[in-house]
Amino acid sequence: MEKILIIRGEHGNIVEERIDETEDIFSKVKELASKALNLWEPEFADFIIIKDQYEVSLKLPLTKDQVRRFMKYGIRRSPDGYAKFNIPVYIISYDSIWVESDYIDRKVYLVSVYVNDEVKEDLKKLVIETTRGETARLGITEEELLELEE
């Protein structure tokens, strides 16, 4: 069984976070994509799933359990005393808009491998930044943006 981190973000906020155990990350991505597909409103938004990687650095030595869990992600030793490896990160975006030339994801699921609470916090920040959007930079308030959508 693999520990999978699930974070759901909406409009710059974390609205759900949990750690599930499953046989593999792919089945969890498909399950959440199906759930997000039911939340998606095709007349207003794109539906996109993006696969990326996140580099993890853990201070050596690792426990036997850590080595067992993360071996398949290509652990390598760095000269500065860390074990480094890349974990898959899937972003399921089911509510997004174009504002001028910027693409803003307003509601997403992030699905990744659970490493530890420090990595979880970094990925939560990523979700917050992803769903926060750049509307403030454009001089548009959230309320004005909602009015434009109506």
Side-chain angles (χ1 to χ4, degrees), residues 69-137:
R69 286 180 56 215
F70 306 130
M71 184 63 71
K72 64 182 161 186
Y73 301 113
I75 294 177
R76 59 202 180 280
R77 182 185 306 260
S78 68
D80 57 353
Y82 285 85
K84 295 189 177 197
F85 54 97
N86 293 317
I87 57 172
V89 174
Y90 292 86
I91 303 282
I92 303 167
S93 174
Y94 58 96
D95 185 349
S96 55
I97 60 167
W98 282 96
V99 177
E100 294 182 9
S101 63
D102 290 333
Y103 191 75
I104 301 171
D105 292 307
R106 297 182 299 185
K107 296 180 182 179
V108 302
Y109 277 101
L110 178 144
V111 184
S112 188
V113 174
Y114 176 76
V115 175
N116 60 26
D117 285 344
E118 183 179 328
V119 171
K120 177 178 81 169
E121 291 304 313
D122 285 347
L123 293 174
K124 283 170 63 175
K125 289 176 189 170
L126 174 65
V127 169
I128 289 167
E129 287 302 311
T130 298
T131 60
R132 180 176 289 153
E134 297 293 321
T135 55
R137 179 177 59 80

Side-chain angles (χ1 to χ4, degrees), residues 10 13 17 29-30 37 54 58-60 68 75 77 85 103 107 114 118 126 129 147:
E10 295 182 0
N13 298 300
E17 65 177 273
V29 169
K30 288 179 179 182
L37 197 57
Y54 177 82
L58 297 178
K59 186 77 174 148
L60 292 171
R68 181 188 55 75
I75 294 177
R77 182 185 306 260
F85 54 97
Y103 191 75
K107 296 180 182 179
Y114 176 76
E118 183 179 328
L126 174 65
E129 287 302 311
E147 286 176 13

Side-chain angles (χ1 to χ4, degrees), residues 8-52:
R8 185 165 57 103
E10 295 182 0
H11 305 287
N13 298 300
I14 302 299
V15 295
E16 177 185 3
E17 65 177 273
R18 69 179 194 268
I19 299 167
D20 283 0
E21 289 200 15
T22 187
E23 289 298 319
D24 61 68
I25 191 170
F26 311 116
S27 59
K28 189 54 69 174
V29 169
K30 288 179 179 182
E31 174 189 319
L32 291 168
S34 177
K35 186 175 180 179
L37 197 57
N38 289 322
L39 299 171
W40 175 48
E41 304 215 18
E43 66 272 19
F44 300 118
D46 293 333
F47 185 92
I48 300 171
I49 301 174
I50 298 170
K51 180 183 185 236
D52 204 351

